[in-house]
Amino acid sequence: MNNSKYRGVVVPMVTPVTQDGQLDIKAVERIIDFFAENKVSPLLMGTTGEGNSVSQADGQLFVETAVKVANGRILIYAGLTGNCFSEQVRQAEIYSALGADVIVATLPTYYALTPEQMYDYYKTLADCITGPLMLYNILATTHMSIPVDVIRRLADHPNIVGLKDSERDLERMAQCIEITKSHPEFAYFCGWAAQSAHALELGGNGIVPSTGNFVPEMFQQLFDAAVAGDMATANRLQDETNEIAKIYQKDRTLGQSLTALKVMMSTKGLCEPWMLMPLTRLSADEEQTIIDKVNALD
């Protein structure tokens, strides 16, 4: 692990909403407190947080509320999505002004981009915003992969502080972590939760597990164990969290898994399983099955 100040567990936080699609402020406050108590940071409006479906107004309210509740106890990572560059710059500047510590941006996704266009997009964005920028690579939703050599070039930019990579490719993971060894301020965050322990063992700076919405303490313990070189404990926790993840992920689409995750969180009184369009709740029977499986964990 290099000297980057960005490290640890960053949970891609769900976006809690009410039945009519409004941001559930009280639930935001509960979840941020829950994270802070367990010493993990949130990534707001990432993939798990339905980032593309959150309105600009609610995005600003979300960041403002999270920053206020966190009160400096944890860093706030704010996700940035969309296809209009000027609006993205505006939102990023607002998030930073509201107190977000890092802007985490996915590629615009309407057009297939060349590697040079990807480089130009991130370089220009980093030039235009005042807050630090983290790259976010997620092939599953953008249908594009930021090439490792493009990431290596972008790591030289003084305002680009790291990469959150959710691509399921072990060779790529090793290559990206290698970049951090020659760029002391550039952080690698593993967004492939099932490989969290492995990424940390290779020298990654942090992990971004969606299951951390439900059991943040387990991922913090996993991180601490891996950093201490106790890979037996880290791998045990990896196996245990992988099993918990199956409760909401197995045999479901990504979108269905997100509402199933909210069902799990509802058993802890954190939020209700309402979703932003176009995603919807599961059936009552499916929700009850998830609740029964959660209760069986105790």
Side-chain angles (χ1 to χ4, degrees):
M1 188 182 297
N2 64 16
N3 297 324
S4 172
K5 68 177 181 178
Y6 303 106
R7 61 182 62 208
V9 182
V10 176
V11 177
M13 179 177 162
V14 303
T15 296
V17 294
T18 59
Q19 185 172 359
D20 60 358
Q22 301 299 306
L23 187 68
D24 188 338
I25 299 297
K26 292 298 183 185
V28 171
E29 293 172 348
R30 287 193 296 272
I31 297 169
I32 293 295
D33 260 333
F34 180 51
F35 286 0
E37 288 165 5
N38 286 286
K39 300 180 175 60
V40 303
S41 291
L43 165 58
L44 311 180
M45 298 171 288
T47 304
T48 305
E50 304 169 76
N52 277 288
S53 303
V54 179
S55 70
Q56 290 189 358
D58 273 351
Q60 294 169 26
L61 182 59
F62 198 176
V63 172
E64 183 178 21
T65 304
V67 168
K68 182 177 179 181
V69 177
N71 194 28
R73 292 178 291 171
I74 50 178
L75 296 181
I76 302 296
Y77 294 73
L80 192 69
T81 59
N83 292 312
C84 177
F85 186 76
S86 61
E87 288 182 1
Q88 285 187 298
V89 171
R90 177 178 174 275
Q91 283 296 98
E93 290 296 77
I94 291 172
Y95 294 162
S96 295
L98 289 171
D101 296 286
V102 191
I103 302 299
V104 186
T106 58
L107 286 169
T109 58
Y110 189 80
Y111 300 105
L113 304 177
T114 67
E116 199 60 29
Q117 287 171 330
M118 295 181 195
Y119 173 82
D120 287 344
Y121 166 73
Y122 279 119
K123 180 185 181 301
T124 307
L125 183 61
D127 288 343
C128 288
I129 67 175
T130 51
L133 175 67
M134 187 170 285
L135 317 175
Y136 182 178
N137 182 66
I138 179 162
L139 175 62
T141 58
T142 66
H143 309 294
M144 291 180 281
S145 175
I146 308 169
V148 174
D149 63 326
V150 170
I151 293 167
R152 188 177 292 110
R153 290 168 63 197
L154 289 167
D156 290 327
H157 194 292
N159 201 34
I160 295 178
V161 299
L163 165 72
K164 185 231 168 176
D165 200 339
S166 297
E167 193 160 336
R168 300 187 172 202
D169 183 329
L170 290 173
E171 183 180 354
R172 174 192 172 87
M173 177 191 293
Q175 291 172 344
C176 290
I177 291 174
E178 196 65 30
I179 293 171
T180 70
K181 295 176 183 176
S182 57
H183 294 77
E185 305 301 322
F186 187 82
Y188 174 87
F189 279 81
C190 177
W192 181 7
Q195 294 294 333
S196 295
H198 179 62
L200 293 169
E201 186 175 22
L202 290 179
N205 300 80
I207 54 178
V208 191
S210 58
T211 312
N213 279 281
F214 184 67
V215 283
E217 71 286 354
M218 293 182 73
F219 285 99
Q220 186 58 47
Q221 291 163 12
L222 187 159
F223 177 82
D224 290 340
V227 170
D230 181 3
M231 292 311 301
T233 297
N235 287 321
R236 173 181 60 78
L237 287 162
Q238 182 73 78
D239 291 341
E240 291 174 3
T241 54
N242 288 350
E243 289 302 308
I244 293 172
K246 290 178 183 177
I247 297 174
Y248 69 97
Q249 293 176 347
K250 186 173 170 54
D251 299 325
R252 293 190 175 90
T253 65
L254 175 57
Q256 290 172 327
S257 76
L258 301 183
T259 184
L261 177 56
K262 287 184 181 180
V263 173
M264 293 177 69
M265 295 174 70
S266 74
T267 67
K268 293 188 173 184
L270 293 168
C271 66
E272 293 298 316
W274 299 109
M275 304 298 288
L276 291 167
M277 289 289 288
L279 300 182
T280 55
R281 283 184 71 155
L282 302 174
S283 69
D285 286 346
E286 287 177 291
E287 290 189 2
Q288 189 57 52
T289 298
I290 293 166
I291 292 168
D292 291 343
K293 288 181 178 179
V294 169
N295 291 336
L297 292 172
D298 299 333

